[in-house]
Amino acid sequence: MSRYPHKDLPLKKAKFDNTVFENKKPPRLGSRRAPLKLTVKDEARRLEVAAICANKDWFCEVLIDPQVDEDLRDLNFLQGKQVVATTTRLAGRNDPCPCASGKKYKQCCAK
C-alpha cells in the first residue's frame, strides 16, 4: 500500500460539454450571411431602398408585395444605430497631469 493514496487511482478525464465550445456568434445583420429582409409595395420604392442599402454596403433582399404593408424594420434598426462613444483614459494618480503643469496628477488637479 502506498503512502500516497491518490497515486494508485486511475486518472479521471474531464467531462466537457461540446456545446459550450461550439457556440458561434450570430451573423451581423446586413452581411452576406444575414441580409436585410424587406418588403415594399412598388418597384420605385424597391429601387429607393436598394440604393440606400448599396450606399451603406448592406446586403438586402427586397420583395415587392402590394397586398402587404411595408416591412422596413431591419433597415430602420441599422439606420438608427448610434456610434459608440469612446472616452479618453483618465489620468492615474502617478501619471503626469493633463493640464501640462509638469506635476503629478495627485499633486495638481486631483486635490
Side-chain angles (χ1 to χ4, degrees):
M1 183 158 176
S2 173
R3 286 178 42 185
Y4 306 104
H6 64 278
K7 288 195 174 202
D8 295 331
L9 296 175
L11 294 174
K12 291 183 181 178
K13 291 187 177 181
K15 295 180 181 178
F16 292 114
D17 186 12
N18 289 341
T19 59
V20 174
F21 297 106
E22 294 176 4
N23 287 342
K24 293 184 179 179
K25 279 178 35 177
R28 191 179 78 237
L29 186 62
S31 66
R32 190 179 304 259
R33 288 181 51 209
L36 300 172
K37 293 182 175 41
L38 309 169
T39 307
V40 295
K41 289 192 179 255
D42 58 353
E43 182 66 25
R45 183 72 172 140
R46 186 189 75 77
L47 293 174
E48 180 183 342
V49 169
I52 292 171
C53 291
N55 189 23
K56 300 279 189 169
D57 294 329
W58 295 329
F59 292 92
C60 63
E61 295 175 2
V62 184
L63 302 174
I64 301 172
D65 191 357
Q67 307 297 330
V68 182
D69 291 337
E70 286 191 349
D71 182 18
L72 301 174
R73 286 179 289 173
D74 292 345
L75 182 64
N76 293 335
F77 175 73
L78 282 182
Q79 285 181 329
K81 275 192 172 180
Q82 296 177 352
V83 177
V84 177
T86 57
T87 59
T88 57
R89 185 178 155 274
L90 294 175
R93 286 179 41 83
N94 291 320
D95 291 341
C97 190
C99 73
S101 65
K103 297 181 179 180
K104 289 184 179 180
Y105 178 69
K106 68 181 178 183
Q107 294 173 343
C108 185
C109 293
K111 288 185 177 181

Short mmCIF file of all heavy atoms in Angstrom, two decimals, residues 76-103:
data_model
loop_
_atom_site.label_atom_id
_atom_site.label_comp_id
_atom_site.label_asym_id
_atom_site.label_seq_id
_atom_site.Cartn_x
_atom_site.Cartn_y
_atom_site.Cartn_z
N ASN A 76 -34.62 50.20 -40.64
CA ASN A 76 -34.72 51.24 -39.62
C ASN A 76 -33.80 50.95 -38.43
O ASN A 76 -33.21 51.86 -37.85
CB ASN A 76 -36.16 51.39 -39.13
CG ASN A 76 -37.06 51.93 -40.22
OD1 ASN A 76 -36.61 52.60 -41.13
ND2 ASN A 76 -38.34 51.61 -40.12
N PHE A 77 -33.67 49.67 -38.10
CA PHE A 77 -32.79 49.29 -37.00
C PHE A 77 -31.34 49.63 -37.31
O PHE A 77 -30.63 50.22 -36.49
CB PHE A 77 -32.93 47.79 -36.71
CG PHE A 77 -31.98 47.27 -35.69
CD1 PHE A 77 -32.16 47.57 -34.35
CD2 PHE A 77 -30.90 46.50 -36.06
CE1 PHE A 77 -31.27 47.11 -33.39
CE2 PHE A 77 -30.01 46.02 -35.12
CZ PHE A 77 -30.19 46.32 -33.78
N LEU A 78 -30.89 49.29 -38.52
CA LEU A 78 -29.50 49.57 -38.87
C LEU A 78 -29.23 51.06 -39.05
O LEU A 78 -28.16 51.55 -38.71
CB LEU A 78 -29.12 48.83 -40.16
CG LEU A 78 -28.81 47.35 -40.02
CD1 LEU A 78 -28.41 46.77 -41.35
CD2 LEU A 78 -27.72 47.11 -39.01
N GLN A 79 -30.21 51.80 -39.57
CA GLN A 79 -30.02 53.24 -39.75
C GLN A 79 -30.04 53.96 -38.41
O GLN A 79 -29.40 54.99 -38.25
CB GLN A 79 -31.11 53.82 -40.65
CG GLN A 79 -30.90 53.49 -42.10
CD GLN A 79 -31.98 54.09 -42.97
OE1 GLN A 79 -33.12 54.25 -42.55
NE2 GLN A 79 -31.62 54.43 -44.20
N GLY A 80 -30.74 53.42 -37.44
CA GLY A 80 -30.87 54.08 -36.14
C GLY A 80 -29.75 53.76 -35.17
O GLY A 80 -29.72 54.28 -34.07
N LYS A 81 -28.83 52.87 -35.57
CA LYS A 81 -27.73 52.53 -34.66
C LYS A 81 -26.87 53.75 -34.42
O LYS A 81 -26.49 54.46 -35.34
CB LYS A 81 -26.86 51.41 -35.24
CG LYS A 81 -27.38 50.05 -34.97
CD LYS A 81 -26.32 49.02 -35.30
CE LYS A 81 -26.76 47.67 -34.84
NZ LYS A 81 -25.79 46.64 -35.15
N GLN A 82 -26.57 53.98 -33.15
CA GLN A 82 -25.73 55.10 -32.80
C GLN A 82 -24.27 54.65 -32.73
O GLN A 82 -23.98 53.51 -32.37
CB GLN A 82 -26.16 55.69 -31.47
CG GLN A 82 -27.55 56.26 -31.49
CD GLN A 82 -27.96 56.76 -30.13
OE1 GLN A 82 -27.26 56.55 -29.14
NE2 GLN A 82 -29.08 57.43 -30.07
N VAL A 83 -23.39 55.55 -33.02
CA VAL A 83 -21.97 55.26 -32.93
C VAL A 83 -21.59 55.19 -31.45
O VAL A 83 -22.00 56.04 -30.65
CB VAL A 83 -21.15 56.35 -33.64
CG1 VAL A 83 -19.66 56.09 -33.49
CG2 VAL A 83 -21.54 56.42 -35.10
N VAL A 84 -20.85 54.18 -31.09
CA VAL A 84 -20.44 54.01 -29.71
C VAL A 84 -19.39 55.06 -29.38
O VAL A 84 -18.37 55.19 -30.06
CB VAL A 84 -19.88 52.59 -29.48
CG1 VAL A 84 -19.39 52.43 -28.06
CG2 VAL A 84 -20.93 51.57 -29.80
N ALA A 85 -19.66 55.83 -28.35
CA ALA A 85 -18.73 56.87 -27.94
C ALA A 85 -17.62 56.26 -27.10
O ALA A 85 -17.87 55.47 -26.20
CB ALA A 85 -19.45 57.94 -27.15
N THR A 86 -16.41 56.64 -27.40
CA THR A 86 -15.29 56.18 -26.60
C THR A 86 -14.76 57.35 -25.79
O THR A 86 -14.74 58.49 -26.26
CB THR A 86 -14.15 55.63 -27.49
OG1 THR A 86 -13.75 56.65 -28.40
CG2 THR A 86 -14.62 54.41 -28.26
N THR A 87 -14.37 57.06 -24.59
CA THR A 87 -13.86 58.11 -23.73
C THR A 87 -12.34 57.99 -23.64
O THR A 87 -11.79 56.90 -23.78
CB THR A 87 -14.46 58.02 -22.32
OG1 THR A 87 -14.12 56.75 -21.76
CG2 THR A 87 -15.96 58.19 -22.36
N THR A 88 -11.72 59.09 -23.38
CA THR A 88 -10.27 59.05 -23.20
C THR A 88 -9.99 58.56 -21.79
O THR A 88 -10.79 58.71 -20.87
CB THR A 88 -9.65 60.44 -23.40
OG1 THR A 88 -10.26 61.35 -22.49
CG2 THR A 88 -9.87 60.92 -24.82
N ARG A 89 -8.84 57.99 -21.61
CA ARG A 89 -8.45 57.44 -20.32
C ARG A 89 -8.17 58.57 -19.35
O ARG A 89 -7.48 59.54 -19.68
CB ARG A 89 -7.20 56.58 -20.51
CG ARG A 89 -6.76 55.86 -19.28
CD ARG A 89 -5.53 55.01 -19.60
NE ARG A 89 -4.75 54.78 -18.42
CZ ARG A 89 -3.81 55.58 -17.94
NH1 ARG A 89 -3.53 56.69 -18.58
NH2 ARG A 89 -3.16 55.29 -16.85
N LEU A 90 -8.71 58.46 -18.15
CA LEU A 90 -8.42 59.45 -17.12
C LEU A 90 -7.01 59.24 -16.61
O LEU A 90 -6.48 58.13 -16.62
CB LEU A 90 -9.41 59.31 -15.95
CG LEU A 90 -10.86 59.63 -16.27
CD1 LEU A 90 -11.72 59.33 -15.05
CD2 LEU A 90 -11.00 61.09 -16.65
N ALA A 91 -6.40 60.30 -16.14
CA ALA A 91 -5.05 60.21 -15.62
C ALA A 91 -5.04 59.45 -14.30
O ALA A 91 -5.91 59.64 -13.46
CB ALA A 91 -4.47 61.60 -15.43
N GLY A 92 -4.07 58.57 -14.14
CA GLY A 92 -3.91 57.86 -12.87
C GLY A 92 -3.26 58.78 -11.85
O GLY A 92 -2.79 59.89 -12.17
N ARG A 93 -3.20 58.34 -10.63
CA ARG A 93 -2.66 59.20 -9.56
C ARG A 93 -1.21 59.60 -9.84
O ARG A 93 -0.81 60.73 -9.59
CB ARG A 93 -2.73 58.49 -8.22
CG ARG A 93 -4.13 58.41 -7.66
CD ARG A 93 -4.17 57.68 -6.32
NE ARG A 93 -3.09 57.96 -5.39
CZ ARG A 93 -3.05 59.00 -4.54
NH1 ARG A 93 -4.03 59.86 -4.56
NH2 ARG A 93 -2.05 59.16 -3.72
N ASN A 94 -0.41 58.70 -10.34
CA ASN A 94 1.01 59.00 -10.52
C ASN A 94 1.35 59.40 -11.96
O ASN A 94 2.52 59.61 -12.27
CB ASN A 94 1.85 57.79 -10.11
CG ASN A 94 1.80 57.58 -8.62
OD1 ASN A 94 1.83 58.53 -7.85
ND2 ASN A 94 1.69 56.33 -8.20
N ASP A 95 0.37 59.55 -12.81
CA ASP A 95 0.61 59.99 -14.18
C ASP A 95 0.81 61.50 -14.21
O ASP A 95 0.38 62.22 -13.31
CB ASP A 95 -0.57 59.63 -15.07
CG ASP A 95 -0.69 58.13 -15.28
OD1 ASP A 95 0.31 57.42 -15.05
OD2 ASP A 95 -1.79 57.68 -15.67
N PRO A 96 1.46 62.01 -15.26
CA PRO A 96 1.57 63.46 -15.38
C PRO A 96 0.19 64.10 -15.53
O PRO A 96 -0.71 63.52 -16.13
CB PRO A 96 2.40 63.66 -16.65
CG PRO A 96 3.00 62.34 -16.94
CD PRO A 96 2.17 61.31 -16.30
N CYS A 97 0.04 65.27 -15.00
CA CYS A 97 -1.26 65.94 -15.01
C CYS A 97 -1.61 66.37 -16.44
O CYS A 97 -0.76 66.88 -17.18
CB CYS A 97 -1.23 67.15 -14.09
SG CYS A 97 -2.85 67.85 -13.83
N PRO A 98 -2.89 66.19 -16.86
CA PRO A 98 -3.28 66.57 -18.22
C PRO A 98 -3.30 68.09 -18.43
O PRO A 98 -3.38 68.56 -19.56
CB PRO A 98 -4.68 65.99 -18.38
CG PRO A 98 -5.15 65.61 -17.03
CD PRO A 98 -3.95 65.47 -16.17
N CYS A 99 -3.18 68.89 -17.38
CA CYS A 99 -3.17 70.34 -17.55
C CYS A 99 -1.79 70.85 -17.95
O CYS A 99 -1.60 72.06 -18.12
CB CYS A 99 -3.65 71.03 -16.26
SG CYS A 99 -2.45 70.99 -14.92
N ALA A 100 -0.84 69.94 -18.13
CA ALA A 100 0.53 70.25 -18.59
C ALA A 100 1.30 71.12 -17.61
O ALA A 100 2.12 71.93 -18.01
CB ALA A 100 0.50 70.88 -19.98
N SER A 101 1.05 70.95 -16.33
CA SER A 101 1.79 71.72 -15.33
C SER A 101 3.15 71.09 -15.03
O SER A 101 4.01 71.74 -14.45
CB SER A 101 0.99 71.83 -14.04
OG SER A 101 0.82 70.54 -13.45
N GLY A 102 3.31 69.81 -15.39
CA GLY A 102 4.57 69.13 -15.12
C GLY A 102 4.53 68.37 -13.81
O GLY A 102 5.45 67.63 -13.49
N LYS A 103 3.49 68.55 -13.01
CA LYS A 103 3.37 67.85 -11.74
C LYS A 103 2.62 66.54 -11.94
O LYS A 103 2.00 66.31 -12.98
CB LYS A 103 2.59 68.71 -10.73
CG LYS A 103 3.26 70.01 -10.37
CD LYS A 103 2.40 70.73 -9.37
CE LYS A 103 3.02 72.06 -8.94
NZ LYS A 103 2.18 72.75 -7.98
#
